[in-house]
Amino acid sequence: MAKPQEIVLAEPRGFCAGVDRAIEIVERAIAKFGAPIYVRHEIVHNTFVVNDLKTRGAIFIEELDDVPPGATLVFSAHGVSQAVQQEAQRRGFQIFDATCPLVSKVHVEVAKLAKEGYEFIMIGHKGHPEVEGTMGQLDHGIHLVEEVEDVARVQPAQTQLLAVVTQTTLSVDDAAEIMAAVKARFPQIRVPKQQDICYATQNRQDAVKVLSPQVDVVIVVGSPTSSNSNRLRELAARLGTPAYMVDNAGELQSEWFEGVSRVGLTAGASAPEVLVREVIDRIKALGATSVRSMNGIEETVKFPLPKGLKIDAATGLEIEVRKAPETGPGH
């Protein structure tokens, strides 16, 4: 039985700037204020990351009722609705907003255009926390479409002032198809100046498009709740390469590698590199002898931390704490 010979690593893969920043916000909050720190929803959609932060003193909650008075609260990278923001402020928590700045950008755009009288069509997955956060920026006038068929069913109150926004972690190809259907039905709809799908999602999908034809199987490291990780697996499969998603090396099945000589490996934007290394070790144990990285885009994006968690570069001392602003980061 042939065994895998070579592992080909997608570039880029793994953590994006928004995930790096969100994790660092929780780590710094714990270091500065002591455990426990409360986090609304999984800070990022990765089991390993969440469990690691739990051991350090993070408590993950869905309902603000579960946060005691006077506690420090972090909003997850996916963003929250206006209702959650307002309730958290009303309860007087010390708030740090780890919403990815690229998600915050969508929130700001929605708020700005809503004041001008716009209604919205949002392309995204129902129930995903990012979608709930973005749709929750308004109390009406934002309509979700998940697939092309949904576009025909949307009934905005008016079509003169209509704009479209998307979840940042969608399949670029799927979103383009739905966007085309939206434009066909509403030709005058306003589209974002730059697409809402984030640079990291786009780059990881582009890398899989290059990787898939070169390999016999694609392994995606990512958790089941991670939208962008699921899209990577679907994309590889759509391109005709068998593809599997694993939360960790323990989920790899030896039969996936039977008769396979070249294994492609990537990781979703919330999956840490330590998990990729463990997967490499496991595939090596099954027979792989070499590992090489594809050429790919080098990402240099870095997002600033919220006030109160920044460290002064000159002195190494933390800058004094202030209440988190009412709006998210990057505004």
Side-chain angles (χ1 to χ4, degrees):
M1 184 60 71
K3 291 189 174 153
Q5 302 297 309
E6 183 179 44
I7 302 167
V8 185
L9 299 175
E11 290 287 353
R13 64 179 180 278
F15 278 2
C16 61
V19 164
D20 264 335
R21 174 180 179 275
I23 294 168
E24 191 173 352
I25 285 171
V26 178
E27 290 173 342
R28 288 203 182 194
I30 292 168
K32 182 149 194 181
F33 305 110
I37 295 293
Y38 290 81
V39 184
R40 188 186 179 277
H41 193 70
E42 292 186 346
I43 186 69
V44 298
H45 282 156
N46 184 267
T47 311
F48 177 90
V49 169
V50 167
N51 288 341
D52 180 53
L53 290 171
K54 279 180 184 172
T55 66
R56 302 196 209 185
I59 296 176
F60 294 89
I61 54 94
E62 296 297 329
E63 303 299 331
L64 296 186
D65 286 346
D66 296 330
V67 184
T72 298
L73 175 68
V74 177
F75 293 145
S76 85
H78 312 99
V80 297
S81 67
Q82 285 291 324
V84 169
Q85 280 193 42
Q86 287 159 9
E87 187 190 343
Q89 280 156 4
R90 194 172 66 246
R91 290 180 179 225
F93 303 134
Q94 176 162 266
I95 301 162
F96 292 103
D97 190 346
T99 302
C100 173
L102 298 175
V103 175
S104 293
K105 179 175 80 71
V106 177
H107 290 187
V108 169
E109 184 77 355
V110 165
K112 180 167 88 57
L113 291 178
K115 284 189 181 135
E116 296 171 24
Y118 276 81
E119 277 189 69
F120 298 87
I121 291 173
M122 176 159 200
I123 302 171
H125 297 295
K126 187 173 184 173
H128 189 280
E130 184 192 324
V131 169
E132 291 179 348
T134 298
M135 293 188 70
Q137 298 305 303
L138 305 177
D139 56 13
H140 69 285
I142 187 160
H143 311 272
L144 182 64
V145 297
E146 295 190 85
E147 48 198 38
V148 168
E149 293 72 42
D150 295 337
V151 176
R153 293 193 278 270
V154 172
Q155 295 297 335
Q158 48 79 33
T159 57
Q160 294 309 304
L161 294 174
L162 200 57
V164 65
V165 293
T166 68
Q167 184 180 334
T168 62
T169 53
L170 295 179
S171 153
V172 175
D173 297 335
D174 287 352
E177 197 183 340
I178 300 167
M179 185 74 84
V182 168
K183 286 182 184 169
R185 184 168 170 211
F186 305 108
Q188 76 288 15
I189 197 161
R190 178 180 175 137
V191 297
K193 289 190 208 63
Q194 291 177 300
Q195 66 161 19
D196 294 331
I197 293 173
C198 87
Y199 78 92
T201 297
Q202 170 101 50
N203 289 347
R204 278 149 195 69
Q205 288 177 22
D206 288 347
V208 164
K209 287 178 181 177
V210 176
L211 175 72
S212 290
Q214 301 180 30
V215 298
D216 304 307
V217 64
V218 170
I219 304 298
V220 178
V221 181
S223 291
T225 48
S226 165
S227 173
N228 77 86
S229 301
N230 278 290
R231 304 296 82 76
L232 294 176
R233 189 204 61 75
E234 289 169 2
L235 177 57
R238 189 184 296 163
L239 293 168
T241 309
Y244 305 94
M245 191 171 80
V246 296
D247 219 345
N248 56 60
E251 294 184 356
L252 292 168
Q253 314 269 328
S254 55
E255 59 264 29
W256 296 345
F257 305 100
E258 288 171 5
V260 160
S261 66
R262 194 173 283 155
V263 178
L265 181 55
T266 188
S270 48
E273 187 66 11
V274 62
L275 298 181
V276 174
R277 295 291 146 198
E278 288 171 4
V279 168
I280 290 170
D281 290 344
R282 175 91 177 92
I283 299 171
K284 279 183 172 174
L286 293 170
T289 52
S290 67
V291 181
R292 72 176 169 89
S293 289
M294 283 182 1
N295 290 328
I297 292 169
E298 188 180 338
E299 294 174 341
T300 55
V301 178
K302 185 126 177 67
F303 294 132
L305 292 166
K307 290 186 178 72
L309 292 178
K310 290 179 180 167
I311 288 182
D312 187 301
T315 64
L317 299 173
E318 288 170 281
I319 297 163
E320 97 269 16
V321 176
R322 303 189 194 113
K323 278 279 191 187
E326 295 210 5
T327 52
H331 295 178

